[in-house]
Amino acid sequence: EPGPRVFALPPGADFPARLATGLRARLAGQPPEAMAGVTVFLNTQRMRRRVMDALTGGGATILPRLRLVTELGADPLLGGGAAVSPLARRLELAVLVDRLLAAEPGLAPRSALFDLADSLAGLMDEMRAEAVAPERVIGLDVSSHAGHWARTQRFVGLVAGFFGPGAAPDAEARLRAATERLIARWQALPPQGPVIVAGSTGSRGTTALLMRAVARLPQGALLLPG
């Protein structure tokens, strides 16, 4: 069928069991090693274990490549590797927030220091996933909005240095860069075997980027839950 190919299972369906059954049905009549040519991207480690159990429930068998959409950033073949740990990044942010509160004590109570650092870290992850640069937020005209928008811009200004080309990458930055490299590789040399993203809804920008690319591969498909 011409792409993009999007399929779904109904609410309440046993997703791993139905996925395993569908893979076997699609590969019926082909040699056993054909399953090894299938790549399935899943959204959680628990889902990967359940799919593996569903595929091996009838005995030893050749498995497809079961990957997580979140583990591409650690793939050495995609330039992945060690990233700044979440704790280290939050401590770095806490130092910056502390300096800002010392300069502008009216922004927030000092007791909120680590909560603010944690919120900033979460915001950074979302900005990475959605490919939103700090400059886009800092440059918004918020003069006609509530005062908290201006305060938000000052806090977002703290993270601008973590988005520069020389900044040490965190896990979300690694994931986004690795996903973009993989897509560029597919565009130059599309994989001929089946590639499936199963169980994800694309709520994260980086995952949605991967899903759009997979749906347009020669044998790519999305299998949505519910």
Side-chain angles (χ1 to χ4, degrees):
E1 299 175 0
R5 300 171 204 86
V6 182
F7 305 95
L9 288 172
D14 187 335
F15 195 93
R18 293 282 294 274
L19 173 59
T21 300
L23 286 173
R24 293 194 197 96
R26 291 298 182 110
L27 296 174
Q30 298 190 40
E33 60 269 20
M35 186 68 82
V38 179
T39 300
V40 182
F41 287 96
L42 302 163
N43 55 339
T44 65
Q45 182 65 36
R46 180 173 178 269
M47 178 65 77
R48 177 157 62 181
R49 286 195 301 268
R50 291 184 62 196
V51 171
M52 190 176 299
D53 290 344
L55 287 167
T56 59
T61 185
I62 296 177
L63 292 172
R65 289 188 291 269
L66 301 175
R67 309 190 67 182
L68 300 184
V69 295
T70 55
E71 68 183 8
L72 290 176
D75 188 338
L77 299 179
L78 295 173
V84 175
S85 73
L87 177 59
R89 182 49 43 90
R90 279 160 173 73
L91 291 175
E92 291 175 319
L93 290 170
V95 171
L96 296 178
V97 172
D98 184 51
R99 292 173 183 168
L100 178 62
L101 294 183
E104 301 184 56
L107 282 176
R110 297 189 66 80
S111 59
L113 174 64
F114 292 104
D115 286 338
L116 288 170
D118 196 56
S119 293
L120 269 178
L123 177 61
M124 282 178 61
D125 283 347
E126 289 192 51
M127 292 169 70
R128 301 259 195 219
E130 303 298 335
V132 175
E135 294 76 20
R136 287 178 58 187
V137 180
I138 297 170
L140 291 173
D141 180 8
V142 297
S143 57
S144 60
H145 293 275
H148 78 271
W149 279 103
R151 292 194 296 273
T152 298
Q153 285 181 315
R154 291 205 285 282
F155 279 109
V156 171
L158 297 176
V159 307
F162 295 111
F163 283 77
D170 52 30
E172 195 67 42
R174 287 271 193 198
L175 178 59
R176 182 81 186 193
T179 301
E180 290 172 347
R181 290 190 194 102
L182 178 61
I183 292 171
R185 184 180 300 175
W186 283 343
Q187 290 172 343
L189 187 64
Q192 295 308 303
V195 180
I196 303 164
V197 178
S200 180
T201 58
S203 59
R204 301 285 289 181
T206 302
T207 304
L209 186 70
L210 177 70
M211 292 171 70
R212 283 195 295 270
V214 166
R216 288 171 171 80
L217 290 175
Q219 291 197 68
L222 309 181
L223 181 58
L224 305 178

PDB file of all heavy atoms in Angstrom, residues 114-137:
ATOM      1  N   PHE A 114      15.005  24.410  44.462  1.00  0.00           N
ATOM      2  CA  PHE A 114      15.151  23.121  43.782  1.00  0.00           C
ATOM      3  C   PHE A 114      13.903  22.747  42.982  1.00  0.00           C
ATOM      4  O   PHE A 114      13.998  22.065  41.962  1.00  0.00           O
ATOM      5  CB  PHE A 114      15.508  22.025  44.790  1.00  0.00           C
ATOM      6  CG  PHE A 114      16.893  22.199  45.360  1.00  0.00           C
ATOM      7  CD1 PHE A 114      17.079  22.679  46.642  1.00  0.00           C
ATOM      8  CD2 PHE A 114      18.007  21.895  44.585  1.00  0.00           C
ATOM      9  CE1 PHE A 114      18.349  22.849  47.158  1.00  0.00           C
ATOM     10  CE2 PHE A 114      19.291  22.062  45.099  1.00  0.00           C
ATOM     11  CZ  PHE A 114      19.470  22.545  46.382  1.00  0.00           C
ATOM     12  N   ASP A 115      12.727  23.199  43.444  1.00  0.00           N
ATOM     13  CA  ASP A 115      11.518  22.979  42.647  1.00  0.00           C
ATOM     14  C   ASP A 115      11.612  23.718  41.318  1.00  0.00           C
ATOM     15  O   ASP A 115      11.221  23.196  40.259  1.00  0.00           O
ATOM     16  CB  ASP A 115      10.277  23.451  43.411  1.00  0.00           C
ATOM     17  CG  ASP A 115       9.902  22.494  44.537  1.00  0.00           C
ATOM     18  OD1 ASP A 115      10.303  21.323  44.466  1.00  0.00           O
ATOM     19  OD2 ASP A 115       9.205  22.931  45.472  1.00  0.00           O
ATOM     20  N   LEU A 116      12.155  24.936  41.360  1.00  0.00           N
ATOM     21  CA  LEU A 116      12.310  25.708  40.124  1.00  0.00           C
ATOM     22  C   LEU A 116      13.327  25.051  39.199  1.00  0.00           C
ATOM     23  O   LEU A 116      13.132  24.992  37.983  1.00  0.00           O
ATOM     24  CB  LEU A 116      12.747  27.139  40.463  1.00  0.00           C
ATOM     25  CG  LEU A 116      11.674  28.031  41.084  1.00  0.00           C
ATOM     26  CD1 LEU A 116      12.279  29.325  41.608  1.00  0.00           C
ATOM     27  CD2 LEU A 116      10.588  28.336  40.056  1.00  0.00           C
ATOM     28  N   ALA A 117      14.416  24.556  39.769  1.00  0.00           N
ATOM     29  CA  ALA A 117      15.426  23.878  38.959  1.00  0.00           C
ATOM     30  C   ALA A 117      14.832  22.639  38.298  1.00  0.00           C
ATOM     31  O   ALA A 117      15.096  22.355  37.121  1.00  0.00           O
ATOM     32  CB  ALA A 117      16.636  23.510  39.814  1.00  0.00           C
ATOM     33  N   ASP A 118      14.013  21.904  39.050  1.00  0.00           N
ATOM     34  CA  ASP A 118      13.384  20.709  38.503  1.00  0.00           C
ATOM     35  C   ASP A 118      12.405  21.072  37.387  1.00  0.00           C
ATOM     36  O   ASP A 118      12.347  20.402  36.347  1.00  0.00           O
ATOM     37  CB  ASP A 118      12.662  19.962  39.622  1.00  0.00           C
ATOM     38  CG  ASP A 118      12.319  18.536  39.245  1.00  0.00           C
ATOM     39  OD1 ASP A 118      13.237  17.778  38.882  1.00  0.00           O
ATOM     40  OD2 ASP A 118      11.129  18.181  39.306  1.00  0.00           O
ATOM     41  N   SER A 119      11.632  22.127  37.582  1.00  0.00           N
ATOM     42  CA  SER A 119      10.689  22.566  36.556  1.00  0.00           C
ATOM     43  C   SER A 119      11.418  23.028  35.301  1.00  0.00           C
ATOM     44  O   SER A 119      10.980  22.752  34.174  1.00  0.00           O
ATOM     45  CB  SER A 119       9.816  23.702  37.093  1.00  0.00           C
ATOM     46  OG  SER A 119       8.976  23.242  38.120  1.00  0.00           O
ATOM     47  N   LEU A 120      12.527  23.735  35.502  1.00  0.00           N
ATOM     48  CA  LEU A 120      13.310  24.183  34.354  1.00  0.00           C
ATOM     49  C   LEU A 120      13.862  22.997  33.563  1.00  0.00           C
ATOM     50  O   LEU A 120      13.890  23.012  32.336  1.00  0.00           O
ATOM     51  CB  LEU A 120      14.460  25.084  34.812  1.00  0.00           C
ATOM     52  CG  LEU A 120      14.182  26.584  34.880  1.00  0.00           C
ATOM     53  CD1 LEU A 120      15.406  27.323  35.405  1.00  0.00           C
ATOM     54  CD2 LEU A 120      13.817  27.126  33.505  1.00  0.00           C
ATOM     55  N   ALA A 121      14.318  21.973  34.277  1.00  0.00           N
ATOM     56  CA  ALA A 121      14.835  20.778  33.603  1.00  0.00           C
ATOM     57  C   ALA A 121      13.745  20.114  32.777  1.00  0.00           C
ATOM     58  O   ALA A 121      13.981  19.686  31.633  1.00  0.00           O
ATOM     59  CB  ALA A 121      15.400  19.794  34.630  1.00  0.00           C
ATOM     60  N   GLY A 122      12.541  20.024  33.333  1.00  0.00           N
ATOM     61  CA  GLY A 122      11.427  19.450  32.584  1.00  0.00           C
ATOM     62  C   GLY A 122      11.073  20.294  31.367  1.00  0.00           C
ATOM     63  O   GLY A 122      10.782  19.754  30.290  1.00  0.00           O
ATOM     64  N   LEU A 123      11.113  21.614  31.535  1.00  0.00           N
ATOM     65  CA  LEU A 123      10.829  22.505  30.410  1.00  0.00           C
ATOM     66  C   LEU A 123      11.881  22.342  29.320  1.00  0.00           C
ATOM     67  O   LEU A 123      11.573  22.325  28.126  1.00  0.00           O
ATOM     68  CB  LEU A 123      10.778  23.948  30.892  1.00  0.00           C
ATOM     69  CG  LEU A 123      10.550  25.014  29.818  1.00  0.00           C
ATOM     70  CD1 LEU A 123       9.212  24.792  29.115  1.00  0.00           C
ATOM     71  CD2 LEU A 123      10.620  26.418  30.411  1.00  0.00           C
ATOM     72  N   MET A 124      13.153  22.209  29.727  1.00  0.00           N
ATOM     73  CA  MET A 124      14.219  21.994  28.748  1.00  0.00           C
ATOM     74  C   MET A 124      13.976  20.730  27.938  1.00  0.00           C
ATOM     75  O   MET A 124      14.168  20.712  26.718  1.00  0.00           O
ATOM     76  CB  MET A 124      15.575  21.906  29.448  1.00  0.00           C
ATOM     77  CG  MET A 124      16.153  23.240  29.871  1.00  0.00           C
ATOM     78  SD  MET A 124      17.733  23.037  30.752  1.00  0.00           S
ATOM     79  CE  MET A 124      18.750  22.257  29.495  1.00  0.00           C
ATOM     80  N   ASP A 125      13.552  19.656  28.595  1.00  0.00           N
ATOM     81  CA  ASP A 125      13.272  18.408  27.885  1.00  0.00           C
ATOM     82  C   ASP A 125      12.170  18.619  26.845  1.00  0.00           C
ATOM     83  O   ASP A 125      12.260  18.129  25.716  1.00  0.00           O
ATOM     84  CB  ASP A 125      12.846  17.316  28.874  1.00  0.00           C
ATOM     85  CG  ASP A 125      14.030  16.736  29.645  1.00  0.00           C
ATOM     86  OD1 ASP A 125      15.182  16.990  29.253  1.00  0.00           O
ATOM     87  OD2 ASP A 125      13.790  16.028  30.644  1.00  0.00           O
ATOM     88  N   GLU A 126      11.119  19.354  27.233  1.00  0.00           N
ATOM     89  CA  GLU A 126      10.033  19.606  26.284  1.00  0.00           C
ATOM     90  C   GLU A 126      10.504  20.466  25.126  1.00  0.00           C
ATOM     91  O   GLU A 126      10.119  20.235  23.962  1.00  0.00           O
ATOM     92  CB  GLU A 126       8.869  20.282  27.008  1.00  0.00           C
ATOM     93  CG  GLU A 126       8.112  19.372  27.966  1.00  0.00           C
ATOM     94  CD  GLU A 126       6.802  19.992  28.427  1.00  0.00           C
ATOM     95  OE1 GLU A 126       6.028  20.437  27.558  1.00  0.00           O
ATOM     96  OE2 GLU A 126       6.573  20.040  29.642  1.00  0.00           O
ATOM     97  N   MET A 127      11.329  21.461  25.404  1.00  0.00           N
ATOM     98  CA  MET A 127      11.838  22.328  24.343  1.00  0.00           C
ATOM     99  C   MET A 127      12.711  21.542  23.377  1.00  0.00           C
ATOM    100  O   MET A 127      12.649  21.738  22.162  1.00  0.00           O
ATOM    101  CB  MET A 127      12.610  23.495  24.960  1.00  0.00           C
ATOM    102  CG  MET A 127      11.721  24.469  25.729  1.00  0.00           C
ATOM    103  SD  MET A 127      12.639  25.677  26.723  1.00  0.00           S
ATOM    104  CE  MET A 127      13.367  26.711  25.442  1.00  0.00           C
ATOM    105  N   ARG A 128      13.529  20.626  23.909  1.00  0.00           N
ATOM    106  CA  ARG A 128      14.348  19.782  23.032  1.00  0.00           C
ATOM    107  C   ARG A 128      13.452  18.916  22.150  1.00  0.00           C
ATOM    108  O   ARG A 128      13.670  18.807  20.943  1.00  0.00           O
ATOM    109  CB  ARG A 128      15.225  18.872  23.874  1.00  0.00           C
ATOM    110  CG  ARG A 128      16.161  19.582  24.819  1.00  0.00           C
ATOM    111  CD  ARG A 128      17.551  19.651  24.299  1.00  0.00           C
ATOM    112  NE  ARG A 128      18.487  20.017  25.325  1.00  0.00           N
ATOM    113  CZ  ARG A 128      19.515  20.833  25.133  1.00  0.00           C
ATOM    114  NH1 ARG A 128      19.727  21.347  23.936  1.00  0.00           N
ATOM    115  NH2 ARG A 128      20.355  21.123  26.107  1.00  0.00           N
ATOM    116  N   ALA A 129      12.473  18.265  22.772  1.00  0.00           N
ATOM    117  CA  ALA A 129      11.612  17.343  22.040  1.00  0.00           C
ATOM    118  C   ALA A 129      10.820  18.047  20.950  1.00  0.00           C
ATOM    119  O   ALA A 129      10.543  17.464  19.900  1.00  0.00           O
ATOM    120  CB  ALA A 129      10.663  16.629  23.001  1.00  0.00           C
ATOM    121  N   GLU A 130      10.447  19.310  21.190  1.00  0.00           N
ATOM    122  CA  GLU A 130       9.646  20.051  20.221  1.00  0.00           C
ATOM    123  C   GLU A 130      10.498  20.966  19.344  1.00  0.00           C
ATOM    124  O   GLU A 130       9.962  21.718  18.522  1.00  0.00           O
ATOM    125  CB  GLU A 130       8.587  20.892  20.959  1.00  0.00           C
ATOM    126  CG  GLU A 130       7.666  20.089  21.862  1.00  0.00           C
ATOM    127  CD  GLU A 130       6.835  19.059  21.112  1.00  0.00           C
ATOM    128  OE1 GLU A 130       6.602  19.260  19.893  1.00  0.00           O
ATOM    129  OE2 GLU A 130       6.429  18.054  21.719  1.00  0.00           O
ATOM    130  N   ALA A 131      11.846  20.903  19.505  1.00  0.00           N
ATOM    131  CA  ALA A 131      12.772  21.724  18.712  1.00  0.00           C
ATOM    132  C   ALA A 131      12.459  23.214  18.850  1.00  0.00           C
ATOM    133  O   ALA A 131      12.412  23.961  17.861  1.00  0.00           O
ATOM    134  CB  ALA A 131      12.753  21.300  17.252  1.00  0.00           C
ATOM    135  N   VAL A 132      12.247  23.643  20.078  1.00  0.00           N
ATOM    136  CA  VAL A 132      11.982  25.055  20.373  1.00  0.00           C
ATOM    137  C   VAL A 132      13.226  25.643  21.034  1.00  0.00           C
ATOM    138  O   VAL A 132      13.622  25.223  22.116  1.00  0.00           O
ATOM    139  CB  VAL A 132      10.763  25.217  21.300  1.00  0.00           C
ATOM    140  CG1 VAL A 132      10.587  26.677  21.694  1.00  0.00           C
ATOM    141  CG2 VAL A 132       9.512  24.689  20.628  1.00  0.00           C
ATOM    142  N   ALA A 133      13.838  26.612  20.380  1.00  0.00           N
ATOM    143  CA  ALA A 133      15.036  27.262  20.931  1.00  0.00           C
ATOM    144  C   ALA A 133      14.630  28.273  22.001  1.00  0.00           C
ATOM    145  O   ALA A 133      13.545  28.862  21.928  1.00  0.00           O
ATOM    146  CB  ALA A 133      15.807  27.963  19.820  1.00  0.00           C
ATOM    147  N   PRO A 134      15.489  28.493  23.010  1.00  0.00           N
ATOM    148  CA  PRO A 134      15.146  29.470  24.058  1.00  0.00           C
ATOM    149  C   PRO A 134      14.845  30.855  23.495  1.00  0.00           C
ATOM    150  O   PRO A 134      14.006  31.582  24.044  1.00  0.00           O
ATOM    151  CB  PRO A 134      16.395  29.481  24.939  1.00  0.00           C
ATOM    152  CG  PRO A 134      17.056  28.169  24.709  1.00  0.00           C
ATOM    153  CD  PRO A 134      16.764  27.824  23.285  1.00  0.00           C
ATOM    154  N   GLU A 135      15.519  31.220  22.402  1.00  0.00           N
ATOM    155  CA  GLU A 135      15.320  32.552  21.837  1.00  0.00           C
ATOM    156  C   GLU A 135      13.869  32.785  21.424  1.00  0.00           C
ATOM    157  O   GLU A 135      13.362  33.899  21.483  1.00  0.00           O
ATOM    158  CB  GLU A 135      16.230  32.755  20.625  1.00  0.00           C
ATOM    159  CG  GLU A 135      17.715  32.779  20.940  1.00  0.00           C
ATOM    160  CD  GLU A 135      18.296  31.406  21.219  1.00  0.00           C
ATOM    161  OE1 GLU A 135      17.661  30.396  20.812  1.00  0.00           O
ATOM    162  OE2 GLU A 135      19.356  31.338  21.868  1.00  0.00           O
ATOM    163  N   ARG A 136      13.195  31.713  21.008  1.00  0.00           N
ATOM    164  CA  ARG A 136      11.794  31.867  20.591  1.00  0.00           C
ATOM    165  C   ARG A 136      10.906  32.229  21.774  1.00  0.00           C
ATOM    166  O   ARG A 136       9.931  32.964  21.629  1.00  0.00           O
ATOM    167  CB  ARG A 136      11.294  30.583  19.931  1.00  0.00           C
ATOM    168  CG  ARG A 136      11.861  30.355  18.539  1.00  0.00           C
ATOM    169  CD  ARG A 136      11.379  29.064  17.942  1.00  0.00           C
ATOM    170  NE  ARG A 136       9.917  28.994  17.849  1.00  0.00           N
ATOM    171  CZ  ARG A 136       9.247  27.908  17.478  1.00  0.00           C
ATOM    172  NH1 ARG A 136       9.921  26.787  17.193  1.00  0.00           N
ATOM    173  NH2 ARG A 136       7.939  27.913  17.412  1.00  0.00           N
ATOM    174  N   VAL A 137      11.228  31.678  22.950  1.00  0.00           N
ATOM    175  CA  VAL A 137      10.436  31.993  24.146  1.00  0.00           C
ATOM    176  C   VAL A 137      10.820  33.359  24.697  1.00  0.00           C
ATOM    177  O   VAL A 137       9.961  34.167  25.054  1.00  0.00           O
ATOM    178  CB  VAL A 137      10.632  30.903  25.219  1.00  0.00           C
ATOM    179  CG1 VAL A 137       9.815  31.229  26.466  1.00  0.00           C
ATOM    180  CG2 VAL A 137      10.234  29.535  24.663  1.00  0.00           C
TER     181      VAL A 137
END
